[in-house]
Amino acid sequence: MLPNYLKIAWRNLVKHKSYSFINIGGLSVGMAVAVLISLWIYDELSFNTYHRNYDRIAQVLQHQTSNGKIYTGPSVPFPLGKEIQTHYGSSFKYVVMSSWEGEHILSSGDKKVAKTGNFMDVDAPKLLSLTMLKGDDNSLQDPNSILLSESSAKALFGKADPINRLLKIDNKLAVKVTGVYEDIPYNTKFNGLAFVAPWDLYANSENWIKRDRDESRWDDNSFQLFAQIADNTDFATVGHRIIKAKFNNVSQNDKKFNAEIILHPMSNWRLRSAWENGQNTGGLIDYVWLFGFVGGFVLLLACINFMNLSTARSEKRAKEVGIRKAVGSLRSQLINQFFSESLLVVVLAFGMALLLVQLILPWFNQVADKQMVVLWASPLFWLVGIGFTLFTGFVAGSYPALYLSSFQPVKVLKGTFRAGRFASIPRKVLVVIQFTVSLALIIGTIIVYNQLQFSKNRPIGYDRNGLMMIQMKSPDFYGKFDVLRAELKNAGVVQEMAESSSPLTDVWSNSGGFDWPGKDPALDPDFATIWATHDFGKTVGWQLHEGRDFSRSFTSDSSAIILNESAVKFMGIKHPVGTTIRWGQGSNAKEYRVIGVVRDLLMQSPYEPVRQTVYLMDYSNVNWIDLKLAPNKSPGECVAVIESIFRKYIPSAPFDYKFADVEFGKKFAIEERIGKLATFFAGLAIFISCLGLFGLASFMAEQRTKEIGVRKVLGASVANLWSLLSKDFVLLVMVAFGIAAPIAWYLMTNWLDQYEYRATISWWIFIVSGVGTLLITLLTVSFQSLKAALMNPVKSLRSE
C-alpha cells in the first residue's frame, strides 16, 4: 500500500504546484532554522568536552563579602594552590596554578611572533588532556621548558623539528621546546592557548611583576587555579572540604570578607558563568533555552502553513474521500494516505533544508562566532535527522489527516457537503498563533537593538576617537617612554601620550585598605585602581569636575590622588579636593592628598554602573602606552610612522596595537550577536507566516470567484472587493498583536532586568512592530485580492 500512497501523494503535489511550492518552501525554511539552531545548541552543550576529564575538572573560585554583598570571581591568591595540595591533596588528582592567559612575544633568532599562552603547573598537560604530537604529558617538568601548539611551532620553525630548540619569552625568559601539542579546538575555553610554560618559571623569574611574586600574600588575588578531583569523590563533597582554605589563612582584618573557596565544574564554565550575591544565576544557558524555543516555534509556523492549506482545500478533496469510503476504504487507510502525503512533503522539505543549511552555515558561523559543520559522516546525525523528519511529518500531517478522513461519504457524494461556517475557525486560530510568534520575535528584536544603542550612546567620560593602546609585553619597552614621546611628537603623529597600569577599556587592579576622615566603619572600601603618568588626562581627554590634573609643576604629585565621581559619592565626601586619604596598614601605610575629581570614565562593562576609581601617578607600575593620534593626519599615516619609530627603539618586539573604540565595541559582541540572530529568525518567521497567508489568500480568492463576479456586476468597486477579501486577515493580525504585545513586554522586561544600565521599553516599539506587520500582511494578501477584484466577471460567471 505504501508505494500506492506515495504515488498518489506525488500526483497531488505535481497537480497543485503553487500549493506544493508554498508547503515545501515554508517547511524547508522552518526545518533549516531548526537544524541551524540544533547545531548551535549542540556546539554550546558540547563546549569543553574535548578535554577527556571534562566531568571532573573545575576552576577554583572564591566568594568574598563586601558592603553586605557577595562577589564571586576566579582570581585567587598565590599560596592557595600549595595550601590545597598540602592539606586537601587526597581529594584531588591534579592541582594546577596558572597565570592569566595573556599575549607574549616568542622569539627564536630573528623570528618573533606574538602568541597567547599561560604559565601553568607541571600537571597542566594531563589536566587539559593535551594531544601531544611530540614529547609527552610530562614534558613540562623542566622549569625552563615550553610546550608549543602545532600552529605556533610551525610559525616559529616552519617544517623543522622544534624539539630542544631554544626560545625567549618576552625577550627575557630563556626556554627550551620540550613538546608540541595539537591545536585545541575552537569550542573550548583554552582554544587560543598557543603555548604552556612552567608555573615555577613565572614564579621564580626576577623582576617578573614583583608585586605578584610574594608567595605568602593571601590578600593579592592575581592568579587562577584549576583542579581535577579524585576519582572516588564528587564536586559537592570536595567543595565542602576546601570552603575555608583561604579564610583560615588570611589576616584577622581580612576575615571580614568571609572568603569561601568553591569549585566551578568545567561543564558549567560556558553556560552557567553568571553569579549574583553568591548564587549561580545562569548565563548562556538562558540563550540556549531561548533559541531552542525560537527554533521550535519557527518550525511550528511552517507546520501551521501545511495544516492550513491542507484543510482549506478540504472541499477539493471531499469527493475523493467520499468515493474511497464508498468502495470500502477504512478511516485508518485514509489517515495513512494523508500522512504519506505529509511525509513526502516533509522529506522533500528536509532535503531542501539541508541544502539551505549548507549555504547559510558560513554566514551563520560568522554571526554566531562559531566553527560549526554539518556532521554528514555521523550516523547519529542521520538518525536524529530521520527522527526529526518523522516528527515534523507527524505534527504537520496530524490535523489534516484526522480532519479530511472524518468526512461523511453520503453527504459528499450527494453534493450537500459544505465545510460549514465554523470550519475556518481552527485555521484562523493557527494564523493568530503564527503572527503572535512573529510579532513577539519582532518586538523582542527591536528591544534588543534599542538596549544595544542605549548602551553604546552612554556617556563614557573621555574621547576614545583616535586613542591607540600598546601593551608593554617585554622589559625592552620600559625606560623608552621619554625618547618615544619626544620623537613621536616631533613627527607630528601624536597629540599626546602617557602610560597606565590598565588598558583604556578595562581595569586590571582593585584595591582595598583605604581610609579617610568621616569614613563609615562598616564600609569595606574597594576601589578600581589605576596608576598613570603625567599627561594621562590630556591623552584620554577626561573631564575635570573640580580641582586639577597631575602636573610636572608639582613634585608632591607622587603623593597625589584623583577620584572619579563614583568614588566621591561612595566615600560620602562633600568637599573632596584637599582631603587626605590613607592607604595601607601599619608601617606600610601612605597618605595621599586629593587634588582633583574627574567625570566617571566608562572602562568596564557598559551595562553596569562605573565603579569607584582612584588614579595615582606612578612611572614604575605601568603596563600600557596610551597615544592620542594627531587629528590632522589619517590613522593609517599615523600608525605607519608610529610603527617605524617603535621598531627603531624596540626592535625585539612585534609592533602590536589596539584602538580604544574598537576594543570598547567588543564589549557589545554578545548583544550584537543575539540581535543579528534574532533579526534573522524574526525575518524568517514573518516570511513563513506571510507565505502561508499568501496561500490562504489565493485559495480564498479562488473559492469566492463567483461571489466576486456577482458583486462586480452589482456595482462593487475594486476598493470594496479588496477590503472584503483583506479585512479578515487584518483582523487576525490585530488579534495576534493584542496577544503578542503583553507576552513580549513581560519576557523582554525580564531580559532587561539583568542589566543595571538599561533602556526603557517605549510605546513606539509596539506601534512600529504592529503597523509594520500589518503593512506586510496587506501587501501579502493584496496581490491575490486585487487580482481577484480586477478579474472580468464574465469569465467568473460564464459557467452559471
Side-chain angles (χ1 to χ4, degrees):
M1 290 296 288
L2 182 60
N4 184 54
Y5 290 154
L6 294 175
K7 186 186 295 183
I8 295 171
W10 177 256
R11 286 174 180 170
N12 279 319
L13 288 179
V14 173
K15 183 178 179 181
H16 306 286
K17 294 183 178 64
S18 60
Y19 294 108
S20 299
F21 172 77
I22 292 172
N23 277 331
I24 295 172
L27 277 172
S28 64
V29 172
M31 294 178 83
V33 170
V35 171
L36 283 172
I37 290 179
S38 296
L39 288 173
W40 182 82
I41 290 175
Y42 175 79
D43 188 84
E44 290 294 341
L45 295 179
S46 60
F47 208 87
N48 283 325
T49 53
Y50 163 82
H51 305 287
R52 285 193 297 272
N53 305 308
Y54 158 85
D55 58 341
R56 307 197 68 75
I57 296 173
Q59 183 169 14
V60 177
L61 309 182
Q62 64 168 320
H63 296 317
Q64 291 195 100
T65 303
S66 177
N67 300 315
K69 187 175 180 180
I70 301 174
Y71 297 89
T72 304
S75 299
V76 299
F78 193 109
L80 184 60
K82 186 175 290 185
E83 172 73 11
I84 287 178
Q85 284 180 322
T86 303
H87 296 96
Y88 310 96
S90 61
S91 298
F92 296 91
K93 191 170 185 179
Y94 306 118
V95 177
V96 175
M97 284 296 295
S98 172
S99 65
W100 285 96
E101 193 171 282
E103 200 170 75
H104 299 271
I105 299 165
L106 302 182
S107 55
S108 174
D110 294 332
K111 189 77 172 181
K112 300 176 182 64
V113 295
K115 293 292 182 181
T116 300
N118 277 24
F119 292 83
M120 306 180 81
D121 270 326
V122 294
D123 287 327
K126 299 174 184 175
L127 177 88
L128 301 178
S129 55
L130 298 178
T131 303
M132 301 301 299
L133 304 177
K134 294 180 181 293
D136 55 35
D137 53 16
N138 292 310
S139 298
L140 212 58
Q141 299 286 343
D142 185 340
N144 292 100
S145 61
I146 188 172
L147 307 183
L148 298 177
S149 68
E150 184 179 13
S151 57
S152 298
K154 287 180 179 177
L156 283 163
F157 304 111
K159 296 182 179 179
D161 187 357
I163 297 299
N164 294 325
R165 300 287 291 270
L166 299 180
L167 287 178
K168 277 194 173 182
I169 302 175
D170 294 329
N171 205 36
K172 179 173 178 62
L173 301 177
V175 291
K176 180 174 66 175
V177 180
T178 56
V180 176
Y181 57 88
E182 182 181 78
D183 285 357
I184 299 175
Y186 193 71
N187 66 333
T188 69
K189 172 183 170 64
F190 298 99
N191 73 83
L193 196 65
F195 73 86
V196 181
W199 171 252
D200 287 344
L201 177 67
Y202 175 84
N204 297 326
S205 59
E206 294 181 6
N207 301 319
W208 189 271
I209 315 180
K210 295 178 182 178
R211 183 172 170 272
D212 293 343
R213 285 187 54 232
D214 190 342
E215 296 185 24
S216 64
R217 286 193 60 176
W218 283 92
D219 62 341
D220 185 4
N221 301 300
S222 301
F223 310 96
Q224 295 186 96
L225 179 57
F226 301 97
Q228 180 178 327
I229 60 174
D231 294 336
N232 59 346
T233 188
D234 56 71
F235 289 119
T237 303
V238 177
H240 180 73
R241 290 172 185 164
I242 67 171
I243 193 167
K244 295 296 183 183
K246 179 183 176 181
F247 181 84
N248 293 336
N249 288 279
V250 298
S251 66
Q252 193 62 38
N253 182 62
D254 285 343
K255 288 188 184 296
K256 63 185 177 183
F257 297 114
N258 192 31
E260 292 184 346
I261 300 302
I262 63 169
L263 294 176
H264 191 215
M266 181 180 269
S267 57
N268 289 340
W269 290 359
R270 174 72 173 181
L271 299 178
R272 295 176 177 85
S273 58
W275 296 85
E276 184 68 33
N277 205 29
Q279 298 296 318
N280 189 276
T281 55
L284 276 176
I285 188 65
D286 299 331
Y287 293 113
V288 169
W289 282 107
L290 172 65
F291 284 119
F293 282 122
V294 168
F297 278 124
V298 172
L299 180 62
L300 178 63
L301 299 184
C303 292
I304 286 173
N305 280 353
F306 183 87
M307 296 177 190
N308 274 344
L309 290 177
S310 297
T311 55
R313 298 178 63 249
S314 58
E315 290 189 30
K316 300 283 186 181
R317 304 288 302 268
K319 286 186 179 179
E320 175 193 343
V321 172
I323 293 171
R324 285 176 175 272
K325 283 194 170 184
V327 298
S329 282
L330 300 175
R331 188 183 182 191
S332 60
Q333 292 175 315
L334 291 171
I335 290 174
N336 290 336
Q337 167 66 49
F338 294 126
F339 267 127
S340 299
E341 292 182 16
S342 67
L343 185 61
L344 178 60
V345 170
V346 171
V347 168
L348 293 173
F350 184 62
M352 287 185 62
L354 292 180
L355 180 62
L356 286 173
V357 167
Q358 192 64 29
L359 293 173
I360 296 172
L361 198 55
W363 172 85
F364 191 81
N365 276 332
Q366 184 179 4
V367 171
D369 190 28
K370 295 288 185 183
Q371 292 184 358
M372 301 180 297
V373 294
V374 180
L375 306 173
W376 300 110
S378 170
L380 180 62
F381 171 79
W382 290 108
L383 188 63
V384 172
I386 292 170
F388 172 59
T389 303
L390 293 173
F391 173 76
T392 306
F394 175 78
V395 172
S398 56
Y399 177 58
L402 295 173
Y403 177 73
L404 294 173
S405 64
S406 67
F407 294 163
Q408 297 297 319
V410 175
K411 290 183 179 181
V412 169
L413 297 178
K414 285 177 67 177
T416 58
F417 170 79
R418 291 291 182 270
R421 57 184 297 192
F422 301 112
S424 63
I425 290 179
R427 289 197 296 275
K428 290 179 179 180
V429 170
L430 293 175
V431 169
V432 168
I433 292 172
Q434 278 188 312
F435 277 91
T436 299
V437 173
S438 300
L439 276 163
L441 284 173
I442 291 169
I443 293 169
T445 300
I446 295 175
I447 290 173
V448 169
Y449 271 107
N450 191 44
Q451 168 67 12
L452 193 59
Q453 292 306 314
F454 181 77
S455 301
K456 283 185 175 181
N457 295 332
R458 179 181 177 182
I460 63 170
Y462 65 99
D463 181 12
R464 61 174 178 262
N465 294 317
L467 268 179
M468 178 191 285
M469 306 177 293
I470 298 174
Q471 187 178 1
M472 296 186 281
K473 297 176 182 175
S474 77
D476 295 345
F477 279 89
Y478 294 88
K480 309 282 179 65
F481 177 78
D482 289 337
V483 66
L484 286 170
R485 180 174 181 268
E487 190 152 345
L488 287 170
K489 294 199 77 171
N490 287 336
V493 292
V494 299
Q495 188 173 344
E496 193 51 86
M497 59 187 287
E499 294 174 299
S500 61
S501 59
S502 297
L504 299 174
T505 53
D506 202 359
V507 176
W508 281 10
S509 181
N510 298 285
S511 304
F514 291 91
D515 198 6
W516 59 89
K519 172 181 170 288
D520 184 350
L523 197 65
D524 294 324
D526 183 58
F527 291 82
T529 312
I530 295 176
W531 290 267
T533 62
H534 290 106
D535 303 313
F536 177 77
K538 294 179 183 176
T539 302
V540 303
W542 67 12
Q543 303 162 28
L544 274 169
H545 179 61
E546 59 179 293
R548 65 173 178 86
D549 202 343
F550 294 120
S551 172
R552 291 182 174 86
S553 302
F554 296 88
T555 56
S556 60
D557 276 4
S558 59
S559 296
I561 193 170
I562 293 177
L563 308 175
N564 71 348
E565 291 175 309
S566 293
V568 173
K569 184 178 179 180
F570 175 79
M571 297 164 75
I573 305 176
K574 292 184 178 180
H575 305 288
V577 175
T579 299
T580 298
I581 295 178
R582 183 181 176 87
W583 186 18
Q585 296 176 3
S587 59
N588 293 323
K590 182 178 179 180
E591 291 188 345
Y592 294 85
R593 187 170 60 88
V594 178
I595 62 169
V597 177
V598 295
R599 302 286 184 191
D600 287 341
L601 272 66
L602 182 59
M603 302 176 70
Q604 294 180 289
S605 171
Y607 304 108
E608 297 175 0
V610 175
R611 291 199 61 222
Q612 56 269 17
T613 307
V614 296
Y615 301 89
L616 304 103
M617 198 184 70
D618 190 338
Y619 277 79
S620 62
N621 194 18
V622 289
N623 303 300
W624 291 81
I625 299 175
D626 308 311
L627 307 95
K628 181 70 171 181
L629 302 187
N632 59 340
K633 293 188 178 181
S634 69
E637 184 181 357
C638 293
V639 169
V641 176
I642 293 170
E643 181 177 5
S644 65
I645 293 174
F646 265 76
R647 290 191 184 282
K648 175 182 174 182
Y649 290 101
I650 314 173
S652 60
F655 180 68
D656 188 20
Y657 63 91
K658 298 175 180 178
F659 280 104
D661 55 349
V662 175
E663 294 303 303
F664 187 79
K666 292 178 180 177
K667 296 179 182 293
F668 303 96
I670 293 177
E671 284 71 22
E672 285 183 336
R673 198 172 300 138
I674 292 166
K676 288 177 181 178
L677 292 175
T679 302
F680 174 65
F681 295 138
L684 289 180
I686 199 71
F687 168 76
I688 292 170
S689 298
C690 288
L691 193 64
L693 211 59
F694 181 85
L696 279 178
S698 176
F699 175 76
M700 288 185 67
E702 178 186 340
Q703 194 178 39
R704 302 176 73 174
T705 300
K706 290 184 176 61
E707 177 192 345
I708 293 168
V710 171
R711 287 179 179 273
K712 287 197 74 172
V713 169
L714 294 176
S717 66
V718 172
N720 294 143
L721 295 172
W722 173 77
S723 175
L724 175 72
L725 294 171
S726 303
K727 66 179 181 181
D728 285 345
F729 295 109
V730 171
L731 182 61
L732 294 178
V733 172
M734 292 176 68
V735 171
F737 175 77
I739 299 171
I743 293 174
W745 178 85
Y746 174 77
L747 294 175
M748 296 312 295
T749 298
N750 288 340
W751 179 76
L752 286 171
D753 282 345
Q754 68 180 307
Y755 302 109
E756 291 190 50
Y757 190 83
R758 55 182 177 266
T760 56
I761 300 178
S762 303
W763 60 268
W764 64 263
I765 294 174
F766 298 93
I767 298 299
V768 168
S769 302
V771 172
T773 304
L774 197 59
L775 289 175
I776 292 171
T777 301
L778 286 173
L779 286 172
T780 302
V781 301
S782 289
F783 176 79
Q784 292 295 343
S785 299
L786 292 173
K787 180 181 175 182
L790 293 169
M791 184 181 292
N792 189 339
V794 175
K795 291 183 179 180
S796 59
L797 297 175
R798 182 178 296 163
S799 62
E800 300 295 325

